[in-house]
Amino acid sequence: MASAVTLVQGASRGIGLQFCKTILKRHPGSVVIATCRQPNSSTGLQQLKAENPDRLDLCELDVTKDEQIGNVVKFTKERHGKLDLLINSAGMLHTSGRGETSLRDVSREGLIDTFNTNTVGPLLMAKHFAPLLKSGSGYFGIKSPDSKTQHTSILVNMSAKVGSTTENQLGGWYSYRMSKAALNMCSKNLSIELGRGSKPVICVSLHPGTVDTDLSRPYHKNVPKLFTTEYSVDCLMDVVESLTMSDTGKFFLYDRTAFPF
């Protein structure tokens, strides 16, 4: 059995794909399950699979489709029997590709589609994968010196600073801001429920910084500090590997700064 099993949801490109690359490199004895809507169409995933044929599993998974989530749960259970790290990485700014700048841009369809991918999907992933997370080996993170229980696994929801109601000074981006604020509440709720029992799971939200990806590309000219995916994910994995149960339910930036909801 692999020393650790990680599932990256939304792995076709950008931060999700980089998580797969970084974890495979940093943890040689581990395996990664990379999921996205069309894994056969991702050149990056296909190349990574060719380089790691025995350590990378590719699965079709659209988080808006419950049946596909169930299929990947079954695959993970039968092939690996556990899950040590779940990263919900898939996200969308808006169906149009740009955030709403005012109320006149808000639509029911845009709100629902954004919430479905950014909030509902990660919550249902947590629901269906919770038993496998509870069966994890505790490979990632560290145990608190005063802890009487060993955590099993870690659940990461990729969030964003713009989802913080405390820090919102500019407005706009209704769908994206609201969906990420709700995702942070999702992480908090999960930390309470999955934190119970003798094998609790650490649940956190993480902000990757502004990264050079398709999602942020329309706004690069206004960004004072733009990160590569490699740098961002290296920082995020440093955070993941430093987590203890005292961190569960929190929202961290890429540099491990705790950020207000």
Side-chain angles (χ1 to χ4, degrees), residues 54-101:
D54 300 323
R55 298 181 55 216
L56 181 67
D57 298 324
L58 303 183
C59 294
E60 180 181 354
L61 174 57
D62 180 341
V63 292
T64 67
K65 301 184 185 301
D66 290 357
E67 182 180 358
Q68 291 188 11
I69 296 177
N71 290 340
V72 180
V73 170
K74 182 180 179 180
F75 170 85
T76 305
K77 183 177 181 180
E78 292 177 351
R79 189 172 181 87
H80 302 293
K82 68 168 186 172
L83 190 59
D84 297 290
L85 175 61
L86 170 59
I87 301 173
N88 283 310
S89 181
M92 62 183 293
L93 185 60
H94 188 264
T95 50
S96 67
R98 300 186 70 90
E100 309 98 328
T101 58

Side-chain angles (χ1 to χ4, degrees), residues 141-161:
I142 59 177
K143 184 177 179 180
S144 303
D146 59 347
S147 175
K148 296 181 180 180
T149 57
Q150 173 67 58
H151 70 262
T152 55
S153 304
I154 297 173
L155 186 156
V156 170
N157 287 323
M158 293 306 303
S159 189
K161 285 175 66 175

Side-chain angles (χ1 to χ4, degrees), residues 129-239:
F129 280 95
L132 285 168
L133 286 166
K134 287 282 189 177
S135 298
S137 60
Y139 178 89
F140 294 99
I142 59 177
K143 184 177 179 180
S144 303
D146 59 347
S147 175
K148 296 181 180 180
T149 57
Q150 173 67 58
H151 70 262
T152 55
S153 304
I154 297 173
L155 186 156
V156 170
N157 287 323
M158 293 306 303
S159 189
K161 285 175 66 175
V162 296
S164 168
T165 58
T166 304
E167 293 295 310
N168 184 5
Q169 302 296 322
L170 298 175
W173 287 22
Y174 283 89
S175 300
Y176 190 70
R177 286 184 185 274
M178 291 166 62
S179 68
K180 292 300 186 180
L183 181 63
N184 290 340
M185 180 60 78
C186 168
S187 297
K188 180 63 178 180
N189 260 24
L190 289 170
S191 74
I192 295 170
E193 181 163 355
L194 297 185
R196 298 173 181 143
S198 61
K199 301 187 76 175
V201 177
I202 295 173
C203 304
V204 295
S205 290
L206 297 182
H207 167 68
T210 304
V211 185
D212 187 7
T213 63
D214 291 342
L215 185 148
S216 66
R217 193 151 290 127
Y219 305 96
H220 284 180
K221 66 179 180 179
N222 299 319
V223 176
K225 185 186 295 185
L226 184 65
F227 296 155
T228 64
T229 55
E230 293 87 347
Y231 176 81
S232 173
V233 171
D234 271 338
C235 292
L236 292 169
M237 283 305 299
D238 286 344
V239 175

